Amino acid sequence: MTEFGVNFFPVVDPAVKSATDYYDETLRLIERAESLGFTQAQTVEHYFTSYGGYSPDPVTLLTAAAARTTRIRLATGAVVPAFTHPVKLAGKLAMLDHISHGRLDVGFGRAFLPTEFAAFGIPMDESRARFAEGVEACRRLWTTEDLVWEGRFHRFGPVTLLPRPYQQPHPPIFVASATSAESCAAAGTAGHHLQVVPSVTSAEQLAAMLDAYRAAWDAAGHDPAARRVQIKYTCYLSGDADEARSQGEIYERNYIQHMAAAVAPLATGKSADYPGYDKFLEKAKNYDFASSLAADKVLAGDPDGVTGQIRAIRERFGEDLSFSLQFNPGGLAYATAEAAMELFAAEVMPEFGEAA
């Protein structure tokens, strides 16, 4: 049985939709997603720009969602350890784990926007080391009493975190990886789960990332049945395939334009921890929606078409995938997003063992 969740990445200008309206609509959609049988809801951590800037603290939004729901799992996709002291981050997440009665999945990410690192006063070249230290410090804080931490970036203790997590020994840990097979392999070795975004990498590179992750997981002796691989897509769905594709082209171009503006500083310099990221701007300039759709980097069409895309993705990248779908990109109207979710639950989910 394939699991389907919903995700929320606010690529939207305040002039198009206010923060209040975005949050209200997102929380309503999470409630609706639970009633329709979606298994997880998640959001990101970004700052300052219209590329994700409405979500500077995933924990706050997910806490509000926890109060409105009872079954759907709530995931950070992802929080950034480099920007928060591990004692604070571990404590916030443990609180959410309790408030949700153990429905939390914790996705950690490295971050990649130069403006964010500059604002926090953190060199981008430290991102990989800060990520690794932050994830492990949170894990140890959740599981160890009288912890003494002597890291490269943080030193503290002895401390015993309160509250201890609701889930024992700790909430499921996911690692978000955009392009790095090395990061995927490290996650597999550590026994962490994986979040990937196919829109920012080639199919060949994504396949290599997933192969590296699964091989490292197996080599470390972890139970293959316990492994969770989550893949994220934007989904434009309508009974009229042409209408869905037309929406997709509008809002995918909106996404690419905002991403290009956010990563533009990378075009003037390179970071050792981000090889190839200077090419994002070039990719954005050459973006073509039809090519992206043909390569299954975005889901768009009627139920039969989207069902076919998901089948092809599973065949290419693995039967163990779960899907996290964004139905409300940019300034898309609430009613349109809700209708797409309802149609997906009624006509696509049952093809993969889910029923609305």
Side-chain angles (χ1 to χ4, degrees), residues 9-80:
F9 192 127
V11 182
V12 58
D13 291 302
V16 174
K17 185 176 291 187
S18 73
T20 302
D21 287 344
Y22 178 80
Y23 301 140
D24 287 348
E25 292 178 8
T26 296
L27 292 169
R28 288 173 63 195
L29 287 172
I30 291 174
E31 289 183 86
R32 190 72 182 107
E34 179 175 76
S35 72
L36 291 169
F38 290 91
T39 58
Q40 187 193 73
Q42 67 173 266
T43 191
V44 298
E45 179 179 344
H46 277 300
Y47 300 85
F48 312 126
T49 75
S50 297
Y51 182 75
Y54 272 174
S55 188
D57 184 9
V59 174
T60 299
L61 184 63
L62 294 176
T63 299
R68 293 168 176 247
T69 57
T70 59
R71 298 185 306 279
I72 196 167
R73 292 194 67 81
L74 305 168
T76 59
V79 290
V80 181

Side-chain angles (χ1 to χ4, degrees), residues 209-273:
M209 291 162 60
L210 294 176
D211 287 346
Y213 172 70
R214 292 174 179 130
W217 178 285
D218 293 343
H222 303 302
D223 180 5
R227 185 174 59 215
R228 296 167 64 186
V229 181
Q230 184 182 86
I231 194 165
K232 305 181 187 183
Y233 287 93
T234 305
C235 182
Y236 304 92
L237 184 67
S238 171
D240 183 329
D242 289 338
E243 178 184 60
R245 288 191 286 266
S246 177
Q247 287 178 350
E249 183 158 12
I250 292 169
Y251 288 104
E252 288 303 288
R253 288 190 181 281
N254 174 72
Y255 173 89
I256 291 296
Q257 289 168 0
H258 283 80
M259 182 182 73
V263 304
L266 285 172
T268 59
K270 298 181 180 180
S271 167
D273 275 7

Side-chain angles (χ1 to χ4, degrees), residues 141-158:
L141 282 160
W142 288 331
T143 57
T144 305
E145 295 185 358
D146 296 323
L147 174 65
V148 176
W149 184 262
E150 297 282 347
R152 174 180 168 187
F153 305 104
H154 300 287
R155 295 187 175 190
F156 55 84

